[in-house]
Amino acid sequence: MSELLVTGGQVLRPDMTVERADVLVSQDSGDIVAVDEPGALDGDDELDANDGLVIPGLVNAHTHVAMTLLRGLADDKPLNTWLQEDVWPVEAELTADDIRAGAELGLVEMIRSGTTALSDMYFEVEEIADAVDQAGMRAVLGFTAVTVGKDDEAARSDLQESLDVARKLEGAADGRVRTTFQPHSLTTVGEEYLSEFVPQALDDDLSIHLHANETRDEVTPIVDEHGQRPLAYADDIGLLDGDTYVAHGVYVDDSEIDLLAETGTGVAHCPASNMKLASGMAPVQDLLDAGVTVGIGTDGAASNNDLDMFDEMRDAAMIGKLAADDASAVDAGTVVEMATANGAALLGFDSGRIEAGANADLAVIDLDAPHLTPAHDLVSHLAYAVHGSDVCHTVCDGEVLMRDRTVEVFDEGAVRERASEHAAALVERAGD
Ligand SMILES: [Zn+2]
């Protein structure tokens, strides 16, 4: 039996209070064993929190991790133009090796910034699952199906693959990988295919993750074609369910917010991506007030352009206030909860809180920095002042992924070099 003691720090508790405490985790079960006053617990190994702040590992509720290869390739364009002119031509050239290289880079970036779990939408999912296994992180993965522009055979094959991948990889990496069925969005997958495949996913108890109501262009065609709001249309097909979460949810009206709440459908809010692509402002406080579970995601690195969840918390608080026209909306404690407990709830992991019995997924923040001085309110700092680079240790499933800012699960230099080489070759192929 091997136990790790995270000692000498302050600990963020589930009720958003902070106290001096040690945290004992079991490396066998991967759970937190106890949280107690300093000196009361013993472990076989120690991780010195050194006056830092111990927080739950952050949960990135919506990303495309391998898109790190496209970081900074094309900026300053609206969603549709950007996808059609820049992203899709390059993605068409992606090989399994490229995706592995991009995924490893993204996972290293996440570990360095205190993220321990992610929900990913992409393809070549086995490569991503292997990378997550090596990273020691938790992830919900899936193959993203698109039918628009495809013939019937290719369209059906895409959706079948999404089902097959979800069935095959569920429980991989010793249970740290879970899966979702992933129709890309309500406008990129045809109604006949949703009607046929969604019931199969539900029969298998697969959860569902899709993009919805991200831009006005995702709302108007559905209203024109089906005479109803997108989420009402989705609900009629059976897509909205207690295990479903939609990415974005920017243009949701009151009836759709009610529908999300009634069906238990969650939302992965992606504030930086929504701002960068000028998609719009999600009504996050309204969603929260209605009882919808809202997590936070970075979306892909090409529309962010990093995977730092601390940036994302700050963005979520800021844009949430603007959207509500109320400075008290989406407050500091709320965004921290969104990036931890709410994200874990969306992904279906028993993480997101420092408490005995929960998954031992945590990060330690080095508070010894000018931008974190003075320390009136550490929850405020988490939302508004901490950067990903302030994280000094990251632990997931009881294992140390980063110690003293050194990533232990990958050779970071080699990962960066390989990703740079793959990115350069990829862009060259796409330009030919
Ligand atoms: Zn996305």
Side-chain angles (χ1 to χ4, degrees), residues 365-389:
I365 292 156
D366 178 4
L367 295 172
D368 186 14
H371 64 280
L372 302 178
T373 307
H376 295 302
D377 180 346
L378 293 177
V379 174
S380 161
H381 279 6
L382 286 173
Y384 297 119
V386 173
H387 301 300
S389 53

PDB file of all heavy atoms in Angstrom, residues 365-389:
ATOM      1  N   ILE A 365      -0.610  25.297  -6.307  1.00  0.00           N
ATOM      2  CA  ILE A 365      -0.235  26.591  -6.858  1.00  0.00           C
ATOM      3  C   ILE A 365       0.807  27.248  -5.967  1.00  0.00           C
ATOM      4  O   ILE A 365       0.631  27.341  -4.744  1.00  0.00           O
ATOM      5  CB  ILE A 365      -1.484  27.480  -6.967  1.00  0.00           C
ATOM      6  CG1 ILE A 365      -2.405  26.882  -8.037  1.00  0.00           C
ATOM      7  CG2 ILE A 365      -1.118  28.912  -7.337  1.00  0.00           C
ATOM      8  CD1 ILE A 365      -3.813  27.274  -7.856  1.00  0.00           C
ATOM      9  N   ASP A 366       1.883  27.701  -6.602  1.00  0.00           N
ATOM     10  CA  ASP A 366       2.937  28.428  -5.898  1.00  0.00           C
ATOM     11  C   ASP A 366       2.451  29.876  -5.721  1.00  0.00           C
ATOM     12  O   ASP A 366       2.295  30.602  -6.700  1.00  0.00           O
ATOM     13  CB  ASP A 366       4.204  28.370  -6.761  1.00  0.00           C
ATOM     14  CG  ASP A 366       5.348  29.145  -6.148  1.00  0.00           C
ATOM     15  OD1 ASP A 366       5.202  29.663  -5.021  1.00  0.00           O
ATOM     16  OD2 ASP A 366       6.404  29.225  -6.810  1.00  0.00           O
ATOM     17  N   LEU A 367       2.209  30.246  -4.454  1.00  0.00           N
ATOM     18  CA  LEU A 367       1.648  31.580  -4.182  1.00  0.00           C
ATOM     19  C   LEU A 367       2.745  32.639  -4.024  1.00  0.00           C
ATOM     20  O   LEU A 367       2.437  33.822  -3.825  1.00  0.00           O
ATOM     21  CB  LEU A 367       0.803  31.537  -2.903  1.00  0.00           C
ATOM     22  CG  LEU A 367      -0.451  30.657  -2.959  1.00  0.00           C
ATOM     23  CD1 LEU A 367      -1.075  30.551  -1.573  1.00  0.00           C
ATOM     24  CD2 LEU A 367      -1.468  31.201  -3.968  1.00  0.00           C
ATOM     25  N   ASP A 368       3.995  32.210  -4.122  1.00  0.00           N
ATOM     26  CA  ASP A 368       5.121  33.111  -3.864  1.00  0.00           C
ATOM     27  C   ASP A 368       5.426  33.918  -5.136  1.00  0.00           C
ATOM     28  O   ASP A 368       6.406  33.656  -5.839  1.00  0.00           O
ATOM     29  CB  ASP A 368       6.327  32.253  -3.437  1.00  0.00           C
ATOM     30  CG  ASP A 368       7.505  33.114  -3.007  1.00  0.00           C
ATOM     31  OD1 ASP A 368       7.307  34.324  -2.789  1.00  0.00           O
ATOM     32  OD2 ASP A 368       8.619  32.572  -2.914  1.00  0.00           O
ATOM     33  N   ALA A 369       4.551  34.887  -5.431  1.00  0.00           N
ATOM     34  CA  ALA A 369       4.713  35.668  -6.662  1.00  0.00           C
ATOM     35  C   ALA A 369       4.106  37.058  -6.458  1.00  0.00           C
ATOM     36  O   ALA A 369       3.118  37.200  -5.733  1.00  0.00           O
ATOM     37  CB  ALA A 369       3.998  34.970  -7.813  1.00  0.00           C
ATOM     38  N   PRO A 370       4.681  38.074  -7.091  1.00  0.00           N
ATOM     39  CA  PRO A 370       4.151  39.437  -6.921  1.00  0.00           C
ATOM     40  C   PRO A 370       2.682  39.567  -7.310  1.00  0.00           C
ATOM     41  O   PRO A 370       1.912  40.266  -6.639  1.00  0.00           O
ATOM     42  CB  PRO A 370       5.026  40.293  -7.852  1.00  0.00           C
ATOM     43  CG  PRO A 370       6.134  39.450  -8.314  1.00  0.00           C
ATOM     44  CD  PRO A 370       5.881  38.034  -7.936  1.00  0.00           C
ATOM     45  N   HIS A 371       2.282  38.883  -8.395  1.00  0.00           N
ATOM     46  CA  HIS A 371       0.891  39.036  -8.853  1.00  0.00           C
ATOM     47  C   HIS A 371      -0.097  38.288  -7.964  1.00  0.00           C
ATOM     48  O   HIS A 371      -1.302  38.389  -8.181  1.00  0.00           O
ATOM     49  CB  HIS A 371       0.743  38.626 -10.325  1.00  0.00           C
ATOM     50  CG  HIS A 371       1.041  37.172 -10.590  1.00  0.00           C
ATOM     51  ND1 HIS A 371       2.309  36.676 -10.704  1.00  0.00           N
ATOM     52  CD2 HIS A 371       0.215  36.111 -10.725  1.00  0.00           C
ATOM     53  CE1 HIS A 371       2.275  35.373 -10.920  1.00  0.00           C
ATOM     54  NE2 HIS A 371       1.006  35.013 -10.931  1.00  0.00           N
ATOM     55  N   LEU A 372       0.423  37.544  -6.959  1.00  0.00           N
ATOM     56  CA  LEU A 372      -0.479  36.859  -6.016  1.00  0.00           C
ATOM     57  C   LEU A 372      -0.316  37.439  -4.608  1.00  0.00           C
ATOM     58  O   LEU A 372      -0.677  36.805  -3.619  1.00  0.00           O
ATOM     59  CB  LEU A 372      -0.204  35.353  -6.038  1.00  0.00           C
ATOM     60  CG  LEU A 372      -0.359  34.704  -7.429  1.00  0.00           C
ATOM     61  CD1 LEU A 372      -0.029  33.216  -7.374  1.00  0.00           C
ATOM     62  CD2 LEU A 372      -1.776  34.909  -7.979  1.00  0.00           C
ATOM     63  N   THR A 373       0.211  38.652  -4.532  1.00  0.00           N
ATOM     64  CA  THR A 373       0.448  39.336  -3.260  1.00  0.00           C
ATOM     65  C   THR A 373      -0.346  40.645  -3.220  1.00  0.00           C
ATOM     66  O   THR A 373      -0.326  41.371  -4.218  1.00  0.00           O
ATOM     67  CB  THR A 373       1.951  39.669  -3.123  1.00  0.00           C
ATOM     68  OG1 THR A 373       2.721  38.477  -3.332  1.00  0.00           O
ATOM     69  CG2 THR A 373       2.261  40.262  -1.766  1.00  0.00           C
ATOM     70  N   PRO A 374      -1.040  41.000  -2.139  1.00  0.00           N
ATOM     71  CA  PRO A 374      -1.254  40.205  -0.926  1.00  0.00           C
ATOM     72  C   PRO A 374      -2.312  39.124  -1.161  1.00  0.00           C
ATOM     73  O   PRO A 374      -2.883  39.050  -2.245  1.00  0.00           O
ATOM     74  CB  PRO A 374      -1.763  41.255   0.073  1.00  0.00           C
ATOM     75  CG  PRO A 374      -2.489  42.251  -0.781  1.00  0.00           C
ATOM     76  CD  PRO A 374      -1.720  42.306  -2.077  1.00  0.00           C
ATOM     77  N   ALA A 375      -2.558  38.332  -0.114  1.00  0.00           N
ATOM     78  CA  ALA A 375      -3.468  37.198  -0.260  1.00  0.00           C
ATOM     79  C   ALA A 375      -4.738  37.428   0.558  1.00  0.00           C
ATOM     80  O   ALA A 375      -5.028  36.701   1.498  1.00  0.00           O
ATOM     81  CB  ALA A 375      -2.761  35.920   0.178  1.00  0.00           C
ATOM     82  N   HIS A 376      -5.495  38.459   0.178  1.00  0.00           N
ATOM     83  CA  HIS A 376      -6.750  38.722   0.896  1.00  0.00           C
ATOM     84  C   HIS A 376      -7.729  37.574   0.728  1.00  0.00           C
ATOM     85  O   HIS A 376      -8.421  37.185   1.656  1.00  0.00           O
ATOM     86  CB  HIS A 376      -7.423  39.985   0.345  1.00  0.00           C
ATOM     87  CG  HIS A 376      -6.658  41.242   0.578  1.00  0.00           C
ATOM     88  ND1 HIS A 376      -6.296  41.670   1.832  1.00  0.00           N
ATOM     89  CD2 HIS A 376      -6.182  42.177  -0.289  1.00  0.00           C
ATOM     90  CE1 HIS A 376      -5.639  42.807   1.728  1.00  0.00           C
ATOM     91  NE2 HIS A 376      -5.549  43.130   0.451  1.00  0.00           N
ATOM     92  N   ASP A 377      -7.796  37.058  -0.502  1.00  0.00           N
ATOM     93  CA  ASP A 377      -8.844  36.092  -0.822  1.00  0.00           C
ATOM     94  C   ASP A 377      -8.305  35.164  -1.913  1.00  0.00           C
ATOM     95  O   ASP A 377      -8.174  35.570  -3.080  1.00  0.00           O
ATOM     96  CB  ASP A 377     -10.080  36.858  -1.318  1.00  0.00           C
ATOM     97  CG  ASP A 377     -11.233  35.940  -1.691  1.00  0.00           C
ATOM     98  OD1 ASP A 377     -11.015  34.717  -1.822  1.00  0.00           O
ATOM     99  OD2 ASP A 377     -12.350  36.463  -1.866  1.00  0.00           O
ATOM    100  N   LEU A 378      -7.988  33.941  -1.543  1.00  0.00           N
ATOM    101  CA  LEU A 378      -7.344  33.039  -2.511  1.00  0.00           C
ATOM    102  C   LEU A 378      -8.311  32.555  -3.585  1.00  0.00           C
ATOM    103  O   LEU A 378      -7.890  32.210  -4.691  1.00  0.00           O
ATOM    104  CB  LEU A 378      -6.691  31.860  -1.772  1.00  0.00           C
ATOM    105  CG  LEU A 378      -5.493  32.251  -0.897  1.00  0.00           C
ATOM    106  CD1 LEU A 378      -4.943  31.036  -0.147  1.00  0.00           C
ATOM    107  CD2 LEU A 378      -4.388  32.898  -1.736  1.00  0.00           C
ATOM    108  N   VAL A 379      -9.605  32.524  -3.289  1.00  0.00           N
ATOM    109  CA  VAL A 379     -10.569  32.144  -4.331  1.00  0.00           C
ATOM    110  C   VAL A 379     -10.611  33.238  -5.401  1.00  0.00           C
ATOM    111  O   VAL A 379     -10.658  32.960  -6.615  1.00  0.00           O
ATOM    112  CB  VAL A 379     -11.966  31.884  -3.729  1.00  0.00           C
ATOM    113  CG1 VAL A 379     -12.999  31.645  -4.828  1.00  0.00           C
ATOM    114  CG2 VAL A 379     -11.904  30.675  -2.791  1.00  0.00           C
ATOM    115  N   SER A 380     -10.544  34.489  -4.972  1.00  0.00           N
ATOM    116  CA  SER A 380     -10.432  35.598  -5.923  1.00  0.00           C
ATOM    117  C   SER A 380      -9.186  35.433  -6.787  1.00  0.00           C
ATOM    118  O   SER A 380      -9.234  35.593  -8.012  1.00  0.00           O
ATOM    119  CB  SER A 380     -10.373  36.925  -5.153  1.00  0.00           C
ATOM    120  OG  SER A 380      -9.844  37.950  -5.973  1.00  0.00           O
ATOM    121  N   HIS A 381      -8.067  35.092  -6.152  1.00  0.00           N
ATOM    122  CA  HIS A 381      -6.826  34.888  -6.920  1.00  0.00           C
ATOM    123  C   HIS A 381      -6.998  33.797  -7.967  1.00  0.00           C
ATOM    124  O   HIS A 381      -6.532  33.929  -9.097  1.00  0.00           O
ATOM    125  CB  HIS A 381      -5.669  34.513  -5.983  1.00  0.00           C
ATOM    126  CG  HIS A 381      -5.043  35.693  -5.297  1.00  0.00           C
ATOM    127  ND1 HIS A 381      -5.551  36.970  -5.407  1.00  0.00           N
ATOM    128  CD2 HIS A 381      -3.940  35.781  -4.506  1.00  0.00           C
ATOM    129  CE1 HIS A 381      -4.779  37.801  -4.708  1.00  0.00           C
ATOM    130  NE2 HIS A 381      -3.799  37.103  -4.145  1.00  0.00           N
ATOM    131  N   LEU A 382      -7.656  32.690  -7.588  1.00  0.00           N
ATOM    132  CA  LEU A 382      -7.841  31.586  -8.545  1.00  0.00           C
ATOM    133  C   LEU A 382      -8.601  32.061  -9.778  1.00  0.00           C
ATOM    134  O   LEU A 382      -8.279  31.701 -10.905  1.00  0.00           O
ATOM    135  CB  LEU A 382      -8.620  30.439  -7.891  1.00  0.00           C
ATOM    136  CG  LEU A 382      -7.849  29.602  -6.879  1.00  0.00           C
ATOM    137  CD1 LEU A 382      -8.793  28.614  -6.187  1.00  0.00           C
ATOM    138  CD2 LEU A 382      -6.698  28.856  -7.551  1.00  0.00           C
ATOM    139  N   ALA A 383      -9.619  32.873  -9.546  1.00  0.00           N
ATOM    140  CA  ALA A 383     -10.447  33.327 -10.668  1.00  0.00           C
ATOM    141  C   ALA A 383      -9.771  34.434 -11.471  1.00  0.00           C
ATOM    142  O   ALA A 383      -9.918  34.494 -12.690  1.00  0.00           O
ATOM    143  CB  ALA A 383     -11.797  33.812 -10.146  1.00  0.00           C
ATOM    144  N   TYR A 384      -9.049  35.315 -10.792  1.00  0.00           N
ATOM    145  CA  TYR A 384      -8.641  36.546 -11.471  1.00  0.00           C
ATOM    146  C   TYR A 384      -7.141  36.771 -11.600  1.00  0.00           C
ATOM    147  O   TYR A 384      -6.724  37.633 -12.378  1.00  0.00           O
ATOM    148  CB  TYR A 384      -9.240  37.756 -10.729  1.00  0.00           C
ATOM    149  CG  TYR A 384     -10.742  37.778 -10.750  1.00  0.00           C
ATOM    150  CD1 TYR A 384     -11.483  37.721  -9.570  1.00  0.00           C
ATOM    151  CD2 TYR A 384     -11.429  37.846 -11.953  1.00  0.00           C
ATOM    152  CE1 TYR A 384     -12.870  37.735  -9.590  1.00  0.00           C
ATOM    153  CE2 TYR A 384     -12.818  37.856 -11.987  1.00  0.00           C
ATOM    154  CZ  TYR A 384     -13.530  37.805 -10.801  1.00  0.00           C
ATOM    155  OH  TYR A 384     -14.907  37.816 -10.830  1.00  0.00           O
ATOM    156  N   ALA A 385      -6.304  36.078 -10.835  1.00  0.00           N
ATOM    157  CA  ALA A 385      -4.884  36.465 -10.824  1.00  0.00           C
ATOM    158  C   ALA A 385      -3.905  35.323 -11.096  1.00  0.00           C
ATOM    159  O   ALA A 385      -2.799  35.573 -11.577  1.00  0.00           O
ATOM    160  CB  ALA A 385      -4.538  37.114  -9.477  1.00  0.00           C
ATOM    161  N   VAL A 386      -4.291  34.095 -10.787  1.00  0.00           N
ATOM    162  CA  VAL A 386      -3.363  32.974 -10.990  1.00  0.00           C
ATOM    163  C   VAL A 386      -3.227  32.678 -12.490  1.00  0.00           C
ATOM    164  O   VAL A 386      -4.202  32.758 -13.245  1.00  0.00           O
ATOM    165  CB  VAL A 386      -3.874  31.712 -10.248  1.00  0.00           C
ATOM    166  CG1 VAL A 386      -3.021  30.493 -10.586  1.00  0.00           C
ATOM    167  CG2 VAL A 386      -3.884  31.935  -8.731  1.00  0.00           C
ATOM    168  N   HIS A 387      -2.007  32.324 -12.918  1.00  0.00           N
ATOM    169  CA  HIS A 387      -1.769  31.848 -14.278  1.00  0.00           C
ATOM    170  C   HIS A 387      -1.416  30.368 -14.216  1.00  0.00           C
ATOM    171  O   HIS A 387      -0.919  29.884 -13.192  1.00  0.00           O
ATOM    172  CB  HIS A 387      -0.591  32.588 -14.913  1.00  0.00           C
ATOM    173  CG  HIS A 387      -0.788  34.065 -14.986  1.00  0.00           C
ATOM    174  ND1 HIS A 387      -1.833  34.638 -15.673  1.00  0.00           N
ATOM    175  CD2 HIS A 387      -0.089  35.079 -14.447  1.00  0.00           C
ATOM    176  CE1 HIS A 387      -1.752  35.948 -15.553  1.00  0.00           C
ATOM    177  NE2 HIS A 387      -0.716  36.258 -14.805  1.00  0.00           N
ATOM    178  N   GLY A 388      -1.608  29.688 -15.320  1.00  0.00           N
ATOM    179  CA  GLY A 388      -1.253  28.272 -15.373  1.00  0.00           C
ATOM    180  C   GLY A 388       0.187  28.021 -14.968  1.00  0.00           C
ATOM    181  O   GLY A 388       0.504  26.999 -14.356  1.00  0.00           O
ATOM    182  N   SER A 389       1.075  28.970 -15.288  1.00  0.00           N
ATOM    183  CA  SER A 389       2.506  28.789 -14.987  1.00  0.00           C
ATOM    184  C   SER A 389       2.800  28.884 -13.487  1.00  0.00           C
ATOM    185  O   SER A 389       3.924  28.611 -13.062  1.00  0.00           O
ATOM    186  CB  SER A 389       3.333  29.823 -15.749  1.00  0.00           C
ATOM    187  OG  SER A 389       2.831  31.123 -15.494  1.00  0.00           O
TER     188      SER A 389
END
